[in-house]
Amino acid sequence: MYAYDTLDRTFVAQRTAQFREQVRRRLANELSEDEFKPLRLRNGLYLQLHAYMLRVAIPYGLVSADQLRALARIARRYDRGYGHFTTRQNIQFNWISLKDAPDILNDLAAVEMHAVQTSGNCIRNITTDQFAGVAADEIEDPRPWAEIIRQWSTNHPEFSFLPRKFKVAVTGSASDRSAMRVHDIGVRLVRGIDGAIGFEIWVGGGLGRTPMIAQLLRGFLPKEHLLGYLEAVLRVYNVEGRRDNLYKSRIKILVSTLGIERFRDLVEAEWTLTSGPGLRLETAGIARMQSHFRAPPYADMPGRSREFEAKRLEDSAFARWAKANLFPHKQPGYAAVTISLKPIGGVPGDLTAAQMDAVASLADAYSLGEIRVTHRQNLVLAHVPQDRLHDLWRALDALDLATPNLSRATDIIACPGMDYCGLATARSIPVAQRLSERLAALDEQYDLDQLSINISGCVNSCSHHHVGHIGILGLEKGGAESYQVTLGGSSAEDAAVGRIIGPGFGAEDVVDAVETILITYLGQREDSERFLDTVRRVGQDPFRRALYKQP
Amino acid sequence: MQIIRLIEGQPATDIDVWTRIDDGEPLPEYAPTMVSLARWRSGRNDLVRRNVAVGVRLASHETLEGLAGDLERLDLIALDFPNLNDGRHFTTARLLRERHGYRGEIRATGQVLRDQLFAMARCGFDSFDLQAHQSAESAREAFSEISVVFQPAADGRTAAHAIRTGGAGAHFSAS
Ligand code: SF4
């Protein structure tokens, strides 16, 4: 993983000191809240319903065991003993007081972490595939590129006051696990016609009030030009993006207003003028960055572990977990393990300090001391020898972290909603909890695999409900919560925005509605067809009839 | 009125010698004169004939379009920030310095916050209209809080990436 050098350490230390001074000026009233707001936001600090929330950056979701232990300490010392992992592969602490924030940033800096640009109208944390570097279908590891972009975007003087937030995802595989096409920019490693590896650049994806799927901006960009090209895109956006209306200020609106061709012309024209040597990446620099992400020292092992096969036959609970939560590893004899943060009836993405410490120890013991956060709010131990999977599973089970539900009906993505978030129009956590309880049995009986249910507490769509196979959006109607349901969304390579099925449901009825949808699916599905494919094949009518009791 | 000025990269407090002339107002005889883009366009000949320094101020939605050929006649370009969030002129300043090679003064006016000064300086601004309630002493410190930069900009600082590959300025340089 990327290791800081003196320059990185100096920057983070100076930035922390700078923020401490800004907080001091705010507390002494030398800064008004209006003036302070953009400053605290770009340091990860939000004002929520009950307290400040601090969002800590986890660049492309990668943390070391020591860093996770530091997060556990922060959860204990400054929060209420837990943290919440987000769809941006970050972690949020929900009960922070302003005066503590500089000390927390200090503690983070000690383990090479920070909260820089996790909020505000700037380039946000770069996200990627949680299986980067281990996936067999990978063209190239996307993490060095994510880190190159992260550094370039850090404290970028020109792009610190953009029209709106700006999110970039990078993927190195054909199957997109990074939700690249719902980002402002999606960068995808591809092989060009002559065999050289470069990038596809996608632009204008995003959710919120006006969900859009990114369009292809450039089919092939040579590697050395990545930053020059991104700078051109950002510059066009900074100048041309709307600033008069919060809901029309994302780059997706600019792209759709101009049309992709016109937007492309502007970018290419800008790029030919900015593509001087200043931002060109040299081979040596790329290689140095890649060396930070070299494959760890794996042991030589047979491709199939006898131990693992035997335990699977012996222990059906283990077999069930192994079926759901393992991902094939490119190194023979290894597997990537997903730790579900979606216990039945639990709060999606929450982890207690004690669990963080325990996961850190397990990462040290089983997975080369490294943990990854996924955009589905789960954790991954990416390098586990198959021989040791059963031991690991037992340890996880004892921590209540072995729920065998990855990408299943109860692997629900939910934002904090009305329980914490100042922008919420409805609760999302309690809905997720009740749904999880209701669907657990149905899943066990009918194998509700490859299903994504996403719940957002307002139109900002932090849980990406538009691209959930089943999306739930909590609104407020006449003083009561009303949940709007969409079907058929996807954030993968077949990205699509789901369609609203009909009138919303009250808080009491939405769980029944989802159950009805799934029962309808079970009646319609052919063989082991995914929910999404059934919806695409049969359309919305059967679901609508079942939900609204139409003939 | 007080401004902050960067002199060879070092911030100093200075007196503002420029007179802002509104559209329709008569031109002063001697004082360095700052006019709007519209006034510059309509009264360009009168303005240059006087042999007095001329500056143009651009509102946040105005760009350099049509102004590139005039730059060498302008001693000052004032870029206005109507609020804390409008960052368009960060781009304008970089374009002035890096694309057009403008050597005159680039001033930030309007809602200029102490905590934006560093980014502004990196983009090529070299003078700043500080709002009355902000402390000049504290503002001067804003330029030296951060010493590491991660991308080339108009200030010619060497980015971290270039320092690491050893070619100070050879790789990531802006000159
Ligand atoms: S979707 Fe809305 S309620 Fe949920 S976290 Fe985002 S802003 Fe808050």
Side-chain angles (χ1 to χ4, degrees):
Chain A
M1 91 187 249
Y2 183 72
Y4 279 18
D5 64 7
T6 328
L7 295 170
D8 300 299
R9 271 191 290 275
T10 305
F11 171 74
V12 172
Q14 290 176 338
R15 173 79 173 221
T16 304
Q18 182 185 49
F19 187 58
R20 183 181 294 279
E21 178 59 17
Q22 288 163 349
V23 169
R24 187 200 64 72
R25 282 190 281 137
R26 172 69 193 116
L27 292 173
N29 250 324
E30 290 168 33
L31 275 177
S32 69
E33 175 56 23
D34 275 358
E35 292 168 333
F36 181 58
K37 189 175 170 191
L39 305 176
R40 67 166 162 77
L41 286 179
R42 67 198 51 237
N43 287 290
L45 206 58
Y46 276 80
L47 189 53
Q48 300 265 56
L49 284 178
H50 316 290
Y52 281 95
M53 178 271 276
L54 181 72
R55 182 183 293 153
V56 176
I58 302 182
Y60 33 92
L62 200 57
V63 274
S64 70
D66 283 341
Q67 289 174 330
L68 189 56
R69 281 187 273 267
L71 295 173
R73 278 196 301 277
I74 288 169
R76 272 196 200 96
R77 190 176 303 164
Y78 303 104
D79 199 290
R80 298 190 175 172
Y82 61 96
H84 175 78
F85 289 97
T86 75
T87 53
R88 301 283 310 146
Q89 303 182 299
N90 289 321
I91 185 169
Q92 295 180 176
F93 294 107
N94 283 313
W95 300 97
I96 300 300
S97 70
L98 178 57
K99 66 171 184 13
D100 288 339
D103 292 335
I104 302 176
L105 295 182
N106 242 8
D107 292 359
L108 288 170
V111 292
E112 307 190 350
M113 295 184 88
H114 58 73
V116 174
Q117 288 167 226
T118 55
S119 177
N121 295 337
C122 49
I123 303 171
R124 302 285 191 87
N125 185 29
I126 316 298
T127 52
T128 189
D129 186 350
Q130 69 270 26
F131 297 123
V134 308
D137 65 344
E138 192 166 270
I139 291 172
E140 190 180 301
D141 190 341
R143 293 171 301 171
W145 299 104
E147 177 61 23
I148 284 172
I149 298 170
R150 185 191 74 79
Q151 294 197 13
W152 159 78
S153 68
T154 295
N155 220 17
H156 197 299
E158 185 180 348
F159 307 134
S160 288
F161 296 88
L162 293 168
R164 200 83 171 82
K165 58 190 169 183
F166 202 91
K167 301 176 180 179
V168 181
V170 189
T171 180
S173 294
S175 16
D176 178 16
R177 290 171 291 264
S178 71
M180 180 266 287
R181 291 184 68 193
V182 297
H183 283 73
D184 296 284
I185 289 185
V187 176
R188 183 166 159 238
L189 282 144
V190 290
R191 207 174 283 283
I193 13 177
D194 59 352
I197 294 174
F199 305 103
E200 261 176 19
I201 306 290
W202 295 74
V203 73
L207 301 171
R209 186 169 290 213
T210 321
M212 290 187 190
I213 302 297
Q215 304 182 65
L216 186 62
L217 180 61
R218 196 169 219 279
F220 190 83
L221 180 72
K223 280 180 169 178
E224 74 222 57
H225 293 303
L226 179 63
L227 296 184
Y229 200 80
L230 293 185
E231 189 137 313
V233 175
L234 264 297
R235 182 169 281 174
V236 168
Y237 171 54
N238 192 41
V239 174
E240 305 285 341
R242 283 184 65 170
R243 292 174 186 268
D244 58 331
N245 181 338
L246 190 66
Y247 296 109
K248 294 190 162 42
S249 51
R250 295 284 292 269
I251 197 173
K252 62 189 175 189
I253 304 292
L254 178 64
V255 172
S256 75
T257 309
L258 293 174
I260 186 74
E261 287 81 17
R262 173 94 186 99
F263 182 78
R264 182 181 298 123
D265 289 347
L266 290 177
V267 169
E268 297 275 330
E270 178 57 42
W271 182 48
T272 42
L273 293 168
T274 44
S275 66
L279 280 168
R280 191 167 300 160
L281 293 163
E282 285 177 351
T283 321
I286 297 171
R288 204 170 29 76
M289 187 58 85
Q290 285 171 330
S291 71
H292 282 284
F293 298 92
R294 254 197 300 260
Y298 294 118
D300 255 341
M301 278 190 286
R304 289 175 80 86
S305 152
R306 286 232 212 106
E307 168 81 13
F308 172 50
E309 300 298 340
K311 287 288 190 226
R312 262 211 303 203
L313 291 175
E314 252 164 53
D315 188 335
S316 65
F318 172 62
R320 190 155 168 249
W321 175 81
K323 177 166 173 264
N325 292 35
L326 298 188
F327 182 82
H329 201 290
K330 69 180 179 194
Q331 177 71 21
Y334 281 80
V337 168
T338 299
I339 300 174
S340 168
L341 302 188
K342 318 289 176 65
I344 303 306
V347 178
D350 271 10
L351 202 61
T352 66
Q355 286 174 319
M356 288 183 214
D357 279 335
V359 169
S361 303
L362 292 176
D364 277 335
Y366 292 91
S367 192
L368 307 168
E370 178 211 280
I371 302 102
R372 296 155 181 223
V373 184
T374 82
H375 82 269
R376 298 192 53 93
Q377 302 176 291
N378 293 312
L379 300 180
V380 165
L381 298 181
H383 320 278
V384 182
Q386 291 179 14
D387 287 351
R388 307 192 61 202
L389 283 168
H390 189 257
D391 290 347
L392 172 62
W393 170 74
R394 281 209 319 228
L396 287 171
D397 197 32
L399 294 163
D400 200 17
L401 289 172
T403 316
N405 64 345
L406 184 68
S407 302
R408 306 183 74 88
T410 53
D411 185 4
I412 297 167
I413 300 182
C415 76
M418 193 70 101
D419 291 278
Y420 299 100
C421 179
L423 302 172
T425 42
R427 291 169 299 169
S428 50
I429 291 172
V431 175
Q433 289 174 304
R434 283 190 291 126
L435 256 181
S436 163
E437 273 160 5
R438 180 76 69 84
L439 298 182
L442 204 64
D443 175 31
E444 194 151 344
Q445 200 174 348
Y446 295 105
D447 205 9
L448 294 172
D449 194 6
Q450 302 189 68
L451 182 64
S452 178
I453 302 178
N454 302 43
I455 310 174
S456 296
C458 80
V459 288
N460 287 317
S461 340
C462 295
S463 80
H464 304 172
H465 64 271
H466 297 291
V467 290
H469 301 167
I470 299 176
I472 300 173
L473 164 62
L475 297 168
E476 192 246 279
K477 281 234 167 82
E481 290 162 313
S482 168
Y483 293 86
Q484 192 178 72
V485 176
T486 51
L487 300 186
S490 165
S491 67
E493 57 284 357
D494 57 356
V497 171
R499 286 174 47 209
I500 297 170
I501 183 81
F505 301 91
E508 296 310 313
D509 304 328
V510 65
V511 173
D512 291 338
V514 173
E515 192 178 41
T516 303
I517 289 166
L518 290 172
I519 288 168
T520 309
Y521 152 65
L522 291 171
Q524 297 276 344
R525 80 169 164 189
E526 291 178 350
D527 306 324
S528 56
E529 192 177 44
R530 297 189 297 170
F531 174 79
L532 183 60
D533 295 321
T534 304
V535 172
R536 286 180 178 176
R537 182 172 53 78
V538 304
Q540 304 238 344
D541 281 353
F543 298 97
R544 197 170 291 134
R545 278 198 297 274
L547 281 170
Y548 302 104
K549 309 273 183 291
Q550 292 165 353
Chain B
M1 178 147 170
Q2 258 197 348
I3 58 162
I4 303 263
R5 182 188 299 288
L6 287 175
I7 299 164
E8 292 179 357
Q10 296 306 312
T13 316
D14 201 354
I15 300 294
D16 184 11
V17 298
W18 288 86
T19 309
R20 270 171 166 266
I21 300 299
D22 286 331
D23 297 356
E25 233 184 300
L27 297 175
E29 226 162 305
Y30 304 111
T33 308
M34 189 200 301
V35 297
S36 71
L37 182 60
R39 179 82 180 255
W40 169 255
R41 286 194 172 132
S42 61
R44 189 175 177 282
N45 292 344
D46 291 344
L47 282 158
V48 294
R49 213 180 301 129
R50 294 178 316 144
N51 229 355
V52 170
V54 184
V56 165
R57 56 176 187 270
L58 300 187
S60 66
H61 66 277
E62 290 174 326
T63 68
L64 298 172
E65 218 173 289
L67 202 60
D70 289 345
L71 291 178
E72 59 185 37
R73 298 191 180 277
L74 298 173
D75 297 275
L76 169 116
I77 296 188
L79 302 176
D80 192 58
F81 291 83
N83 60 56
L84 312 174
N85 301 311
D86 193 330
R88 285 179 275 196
H89 279 328
F90 287 92
T91 293
T92 315
R94 280 195 74 184
L95 291 175
L96 275 169
R97 294 283 187 233
E98 295 172 66
R99 186 160 299 165
H100 301 290
Y102 180 67
R103 310 283 288 263
E105 180 175 340
I106 304 181
R107 178 174 302 186
T109 65
Q111 285 264 5
V112 178
L113 270 195
R114 175 219 184 270
D115 296 280
Q116 296 176 317
L117 296 178
F118 178 69
M120 287 174 171
R122 291 218 64 214
C123 289
F125 288 92
D126 56 0
S127 73
F128 311 87
D129 257 349
L130 212 51
Q131 287 177 274
H133 70 285
Q134 304 198 53
S135 135
E137 188 188 337
S138 163
R140 284 199 303 272
E141 287 164 13
F143 297 93
S144 50
E145 288 170 342
I146 304 282
S147 65
V148 181
V149 302
F150 292 94
Q151 60 294 107
D155 56 350
R157 285 182 196 234
T158 308
H161 195 112
I163 296 174
R164 288 171 184 142
T165 39
H171 171 57
F172 259 175
S173 78
S175 54

